[in-house]
Each structure stands twice: as structure tokens, then as C-alpha cells.
Amino acid sequence: MAGNQNPFAAIFGDDPFGVGGGFSGGGSRQGAPQVEFNTNEEFNKMKDKFATMGKKAMIACAIIAVIVVAVAYWWFHPPINIHSMDTWMFIGIFILLPSFLFFRARAHAYKHGSAKVGVSKAKAKTFDTLAWIPVAVVALVAVGTLLSLSFFPGNAQKYANILVPADDEFTQDIQEVNYDEIPVIDRDSAMLLGNRTMGSMSDLVSQFEIAPTYSQINYQNHPVRVSPLGYADLFKWLQNREQGIPAYVIVDMTSQDAQVVRLDSEHAIKYSESEPLARNIDRYVQLKYPFYMFGEKSFEINDDGNAWWICPVRDFTIGLFGGETVSRAVLVNAATGECQDMAVEDVPQWVDHVYPANLIIQQYNWHGKYTNGWLNSWLGQNGVVQTTPGTDGSAGYNYIAKDDDVWLYTGVTSATGDESIVGFVLVNQRTAEAHFYSCAGATESSAMQSAEGQVQNLRYEATFPILINVNNTPTYFMALKDNAGLVKKYAMVDIQSYQNVAVGDTVADTQKSYLSLIAANGTVANTSSVSDSALEATGVIKTIATAVIEGNSHFYVTLEGDSKIYDFALPGMIEIVQYAQGDTVTFKYVEGNPTCSAQSIEAAKGAKANSADAAGASSTDTAKASDEAKASDGAAKDDAASSASSDTSAEQKAA
């Protein structure tokens, strides 16, 4: 190729688009044709045409406008409610703006006249006045928005009182965890497990896909995540819409088992998010209840395994758009479309999600921010708290199962968002019942980093923790996942001392390690907090030694005929100082390696050996006196008196 000729010129020619110039470097270049467009001039021409329309044209335009508005309303289905921002957006775009333009155009036509419209100052004034109506409506909406703001007098206290948690004691309100029911996986892991079940649906895999819903619920008193199938695309919907969606996926959050639950034709899911037209669940329920504002819905199954949609009804209690809460809930049968509209307090027990998680977080943050007034929330910030953020900067929360309900859990930190918490809050997602537990400790993100530090060589990532009660100790529990998202290990972290971390391959191993750890650090303080898995030992003390580890005193005890070493950590096991070598002791402990951590000393069985010997001698004397009484009444009385005196002395010594 000679010179610097562009290779595209050899293929497409010098001027492939016919606009001149081409690809060559030389010759005159003619740019692309330019079109001049004067915005004001074109707008005025369009306005003049609009203003000079005849009556028939105006009627035709009005009919078309009504049809467009009706179709737009059916498609976008905004609620008909003055508290809905969607409603005002719809009214503004499809009603207020066209009305304003029409009135202004007619006023302009009557002011200046045209070929079809004569000059009329009266009509021009009338249309000028009508043009102010859309403006006045917009102004009223602006005033309503202003009345919704927190700085408006009295609003701060209203915001603070929407969700008011009760102050409770953690050890009294939160029962010890049942490890058979503890959720060990998060939503991402549940999605991974659920999506892998598609291979078991050879007849459905090309027609359906699993929806990303994965709602966490309590199903028959067991934590699970459920998600419906959905149509793979529009053509798959056309093929299967008559039969509906034949299955949903359920993932057990404790055993990590995932299965596809097939539904018979009577209970197949007809109303879903993947429906594009009338049976789309959002469109269906909104058009059925046009004056309700619906919040974030959830997919759930009842105790019989039938699919339902739970649609909370939003309500705004402050101004026009402020103070959001939930007043009612509409339950929609996913198979039949049957709807049950009921107040929050009437929602049945099997329903778990009425209040969306993000709404609960927002309501508690209002309480934490505005309890002492709006001005304090910005300046002094006395007592201002907020929920802890997640690892991605969004709201950090998780769910726990309690009283056959799903409770939202989140930590509470200061307004500055430091790495410590002042407590945590639990909120029932069905009733909005809220409890606050005061507890100074580490944030969830700090605990996650601490757990990841234990397995940093494996580069596992911790899931967002859940709150559990272990020996009356507030504890973070989390799973550790590999790069593929599979759970490999588990971790427990002491909230108050987050350097206390136990990691295990199974939940049981993690529990044992953690119990041993907190016992060794003196966390266990009373018998009532002893774990159900604790073992009991009784024996004569062979050796006893003391040591100080990381500032904590420990008594190490061995028993005669027992090779184990028992660790009595102070101050929790302070009773051990009463014992010495040769004493008999009974206590409960948790298996460990190399030491077993003592959890409690059984006082009733912990009498010392010499006291027991004295009591035994007393018993022998009593028997001897009884024998001698048969031989001689007088001697029996003397011996009995002596025996009684000996008994009294022995009892006092034992006491």
C-alpha cells in the first residue's frame, strides 16, 4: 500500500457515506450536513398550532389524552393517594403539565388572535387564571412537603415516637440458643444453594428460573428461606401461563439442605413478579386496592406449604410525605388471587414479614436521632444513636428466630459511627414490637474482622453475624465462607470482648471451643448460666496450682484417678479458693484441649473430705450407741447423749 493511504479507503472507497471528504488525507473535506434548530421559534410554532385547533381537533385530542392517561395508569398503576409521591409524579406529568401548557396556549391565542381565533381579552384572562390552577397544586404539594420535614416545630418528637423500643435485660429476654435451630448461612449462601437445585428440575429448567426473593421465614418453627420460580422469558410465559408456576425453592438455614417443592395444579403460582400483564402481583394488588400505598412485599408460605404474597400498606403520619409506617397488610394467595385485607394486629401468626427491614431501620434511626429534639440532633448530639452500618455501607442487620416470629437484629452505635456499640435492638417484623438491650461491645464489622483474622491464612470471609445467647453472654455467630461462597467454618465472638473468638469446622465444635474460651476468661459467673452440654466431675483433689494468664487468675486442678486438667478461671470460679489438696469437689465443666474449663462448683456436693469423715464417724457412733442400748437401758441413755453431742459437733463442723 503506497504512501499513507488509509486502509479503510481501499475497502470502502474514499467517500463511503456520500458526504465528501472520505478517508483520504488530502483534498477538500465537506462536513456532515448541519440542521439549524431554533428552540424558541419551533416551540412558538407548535404552540400556535396547538392554540388554533378547532373544536373537533380539540375533542379528538382530549379523547386521545384520556386513552393515554388510562393506559399509563394501568401500566404504571400508581396509588390514588395524596401521600404518594408516585401519584403526584403521575399527576404532574400526565395532567398538570399538559393542562398548564393548554391554558397558556389558549390565553396566548385570545390575546393576539389567529386565523381561527379572534382577540378576546375576557377569554384570555379566563385562561390565564386557569393556568394558575396547576401552579397552585404544585405549591400546595410543596407546602405539604415542608410540613413533613423534621425541623418543622413538633415534628422531631413525632418522628422519635413512631418506634419506641422497651429497655430490657438480655439474659432475661433472650433464651439460650438451641444449636439445632440456629441459622448458619446468610442470604447469599441460600441463593447459591437454591440455584443449584435447578439441576433436579430437568423438565422445568429450560422454562423457569428461580426468583431472587429468598425471604427468611419461620416455617413450622424452623428458619428457612423460600423463593418462587419465575418464567425464564416472555416466550416461556406464553407457553406456561395457563398452568402457572409449578414450584418454589426452600432452603433450610440450619442443615443447608435445599429442595424444590412441587405444587399441584390447584396450588400452582398464578400471581407473581414475572407475570408481565394482569396477573403481575404488583399491578394486581394495586389495581384491586387503588387507594392503598403498598410497601416492600415478601413471598411466604403458610403452615400447609401454600404460597402467599404479603403486601404491607404504607401510611404517612407527618405532613404529606413524612413519618412512614405500616397500618394494614393485604395477604394475596399466589394461586387463586384471593386477598385478605386486615389490620396489623390481626395478621395471623404464620406471617413473618409485615414491616420491611429497611423501614424498621429508618424508624429506629428517627428515634435515636430526634428523641432529644431536632436541634440536639445537629449540635449537641446528646444521646444521639444510630444503627450500625453493614460492610458495604448500607444498613447492617440480620434476622433471628424468636417466639415463632422473625425478629430483625441490629447493633446500635453512637452518632459518630465509631467501632463500638452501646447496645442492640430487636424488632418483631410482624408486630413492630421493639426491645433495646444495653451492652457495650464491638460492632458487627469489628467482630467479622476479628473472626477473619483467625483464619487469615485461608482467606475466608465472614457473613454478617446474628445475635445469640451463650451462657448468658451476648455473642456474635457467623459463618466463614470461601471464595466460591461455600460455608467452610463457623465462628463465635464475644460482643463485649471481641478478642475472644472461637472457630470450628462444625457448630458443635465451635460451641465447645467458645464455652471453654469464655470459661477460661472468667466470663461464666453463676450456675444458672451453665450450658446444657456441660459434664459433671467428682473426685479428690490431687494437685492444685495457680497461674496468671493475660491478667486473669486461673486455678488448675487435677483429680485422683483422672488424667484431665481442669481450669477454674477467676472471678467466675472464685469458690475454688476454699478447696485444698485432699478435698473432695464436685463441679461441672466443658471438654477442652489441653484443659477442661470449669463452669460451676456444686456447693451441695462440695463439702470437704475431713467434714465428710467427721460426719461418717458421727454416724458410726450413733449406730454403736443404738446397739449398746439393747444391752443396757442406762448405758444406752448415756451413749445416746454422747452420740447426740457428737452429731451436733459434726453438723456444726460440716456447716
Side-chain angles (χ1 to χ4, degrees):
M1 185 174 295
N4 294 325
Q5 183 181 0
N6 193 311
F8 291 100
I11 301 174
F12 299 106
D14 194 52
D15 189 11
F17 301 109
V19 296
F23 293 109
S24 61
S28 63
R29 292 173 179 249
Q30 180 182 352
Q34 297 183 0
V35 179
E36 294 185 359
F37 184 82
N38 189 314
T39 306
N40 292 332
E41 182 180 350
E42 295 298 328
F43 178 75
N44 289 331
K45 288 181 180 179
M46 184 175 63
K47 186 171 66 172
D48 290 339
K49 290 180 180 179
F50 189 58
T52 57
M53 286 191 304
K55 290 185 178 180
K56 291 184 178 180
M58 291 180 60
I59 293 174
C61 287
I63 294 174
I64 293 174
V66 170
I67 294 174
V68 170
V69 170
V71 172
Y73 172 74
W74 184 87
W75 182 258
F76 295 107
H77 49 273
I80 304 175
N81 194 302
I82 63 171
H83 294 288
S84 171
M85 185 64 74
D86 293 338
T87 298
W88 288 115
M89 290 293 294
F90 183 87
I91 291 175
I93 295 174
F94 290 99
I95 298 177
L96 296 181
L97 181 60
S99 299
F100 176 78
L101 295 176
F102 173 77
F103 293 144
R104 291 294 296 170
R106 298 302 291 179
H108 179 270
Y110 283 116
K111 281 181 182 179
H112 302 89
S114 65
K116 296 183 179 180
V117 177
V119 176
S120 174
K121 292 184 178 180
K123 291 184 178 180
K125 184 177 180 180
T126 300
F127 279 105
D128 269 336
T129 304
L130 292 175
W132 283 101
I133 295 178
V135 177
V137 173
V138 173
L140 289 174
V141 174
V143 172
T145 303
L146 180 65
L147 296 175
S148 307
L149 299 179
S150 58
F151 66 77
F152 195 83
N155 280 2
Q157 198 60 40
K158 293 179 182 178
Y159 275 103
N161 291 335
I162 291 177
L163 180 69
V164 180
D167 293 335
D168 287 302
E169 191 70 27
F170 175 80
T171 56
Q172 296 178 0
D173 198 39
I174 306 298
Q175 300 299 317
E176 281 239 23
V177 63
N178 182 350
Y179 291 97
D180 293 332
E181 299 178 358
I182 185 173
V184 299
I185 57 175
D186 60 358
R187 182 176 181 273
D188 291 339
S189 297
M191 291 181 65
L192 184 64
L193 294 172
N195 292 339
R196 290 182 177 179
T197 61
M198 288 296 291
S200 65
M201 304 181 296
S202 57
D203 57 326
L204 304 177
V205 69
S206 62
Q207 302 295 310
F208 302 92
E209 58 187 11
I210 302 176
T213 309
Y214 285 95
S215 304
Q216 179 171 335
I217 64 172
N218 275 1
Y219 177 56
Q220 297 178 350
N221 294 325
H222 204 66
V224 300
R225 284 190 179 269
V226 291
S227 192
L229 302 187
Y231 302 107
D233 53 46
L234 182 63
F235 297 101
K236 305 302 190 301
W237 167 72
L238 290 172
Q239 296 175 20
N240 298 282
R241 67 176 304 273
E242 292 298 329
Q243 297 80 17
I245 298 172
Y248 59 80
V249 172
I250 183 169
V251 181
D252 191 314
M253 299 187 69
T254 58
S255 66
Q256 304 185 50
D257 293 332
Q259 61 175 323
V260 177
V261 178
R262 293 181 177 264
L263 302 168
D264 55 37
S265 57
E266 182 181 355
H267 297 99
I269 299 173
K270 301 290 182 64
Y271 297 83
S272 69
E273 293 178 308
S274 60
E275 282 277 349
L277 298 178
R279 294 193 312 205
N280 176 275
I281 182 59
D282 294 314
R283 180 175 294 113
Y284 172 77
V285 72
Q286 185 64 75
L287 295 179
K288 192 173 182 65
Y289 298 92
F291 301 107
Y292 282 176
M293 297 175 293
F294 289 101
E296 181 184 347
K297 65 185 179 301
S298 65
F299 177 81
E300 299 191 28
I301 56 176
N302 62 12
D303 293 335
D304 297 326
N306 298 325
W308 288 77
W309 292 99
I310 312 303
C311 305
V313 180
R314 303 161 66 201
D315 193 14
F316 292 87
T317 59
I318 304 174
L320 201 58
F321 304 117
E324 181 181 352
T325 186
V326 174
S327 58
R328 306 184 66 81
V330 174
L331 282 58
V332 184
N333 189 311
T336 64
E338 170 198 355
C339 295
Q340 299 178 13
D341 177 19
M342 57 186 64
V344 170
E345 56 270 19
D346 298 328
V347 172
Q349 180 76 27
W350 63 265
V351 174
D352 291 311
H353 294 273
V354 174
Y355 287 81
N358 288 327
L359 176 60
I360 290 176
I361 295 294
Q362 184 182 53
Q363 289 181 344
Y364 184 79
N365 284 336
W366 288 336
H367 174 78
K369 187 175 184 179
Y370 299 122
T371 296
N372 295 322
W374 178 83
L375 194 62
N376 177 74
S377 68
W378 290 96
L379 298 180
Q381 293 190 327
N382 181 30
V384 174
V385 294
Q386 62 184 3
T387 58
T388 50
T391 53
D392 58 354
S394 60
Y397 60 87
N398 213 324
Y399 307 101
I400 65 173
K402 179 175 175 287
D403 303 329
D404 196 28
D405 277 320
V406 172
W407 293 67
L408 180 141
Y409 150 79
T410 182
V412 178
T413 185
S414 64
T416 57
D418 53 28
E419 291 299 315
S420 63
I421 63 171
V422 298
F424 39 87
V425 64
L426 293 182
V427 184
N428 189 315
Q429 288 202 262
R430 179 173 60 88
T431 64
E433 177 186 351
H435 300 269
F436 174 77
Y437 307 96
S438 178
C439 175
T443 62
E444 296 91 341
S445 59
S446 297
M448 293 167 65
Q449 294 172 5
S450 183
E452 290 170 352
Q454 294 291 105
V455 290
Q456 57 184 339
N457 59 312
L458 301 174
R459 297 183 179 180
Y460 292 162
E461 293 185 359
T463 61
F464 195 86
I466 63 174
L467 176 71
I468 60 175
N469 180 356
V470 180
N471 283 6
N472 288 345
T473 302
T475 302
Y476 290 128
F477 175 86
M478 64 199 79
L480 298 170
K481 302 190 297 185
D482 61 13
N483 292 333
L486 299 177
V487 175
K488 295 298 185 180
K489 288 180 178 292
Y490 306 94
M492 291 183 183
V493 182
D494 189 341
I495 290 180
Q496 296 171 308
S497 302
Y498 72 101
Q499 71 273 16
N500 292 340
V501 183
V503 175
D505 294 328
T506 65
V507 177
D509 291 342
T510 309
Q511 174 204 5
K512 287 183 179 180
S513 298
Y514 184 69
L515 289 172
S516 177
L517 181 66
I518 61 176
N521 285 277
T523 304
V524 178
N526 54 65
T527 306
S528 62
S529 63
V530 174
S531 171
D532 294 336
S533 61
L535 304 175
E536 186 173 276
T538 300
V540 177
I541 296 177
K542 181 180 180 181
T543 62
I544 185 167
T546 62
V548 177
I549 300 177
E550 296 183 357
N552 296 318
S553 297
H554 295 256
F555 278 68
Y556 293 97
V557 175
T558 61
L559 303 179
E560 293 183 358
D562 189 344
S563 61
K564 295 177 181 177
I565 301 175
Y566 300 97
D567 179 7
F568 292 78
L570 271 59
M573 297 288 99
I574 190 65
E575 298 93 338
I576 191 62
V577 300
Q578 301 174 359
Y579 293 83
Q581 184 177 354
D583 292 343
T584 299
V585 62
T586 299
F587 58 93
K588 290 189 175 181
Y589 68 95
V590 175
E591 284 279 6
N593 187 17
T595 61
C596 301
S597 298
Q599 290 194 288
S600 68
I601 296 177
E602 302 297 317
K605 300 178 182 180
K608 295 187 177 183
N610 55 0
S611 297
D613 293 339
S618 172
S619 177
T620 303
D621 290 341
T622 303
K624 183 178 180 181
S626 177
D627 293 336
E628 291 175 352
K630 297 178 181 179
S632 173
D633 291 339
K637 290 180 181 180
D638 294 338
D639 290 341
S642 176
S643 177
S645 176
S646 178
D647 283 345
T648 302
S649 175
E651 289 175 359
Q652 291 175 348
K653 188 174 182 181

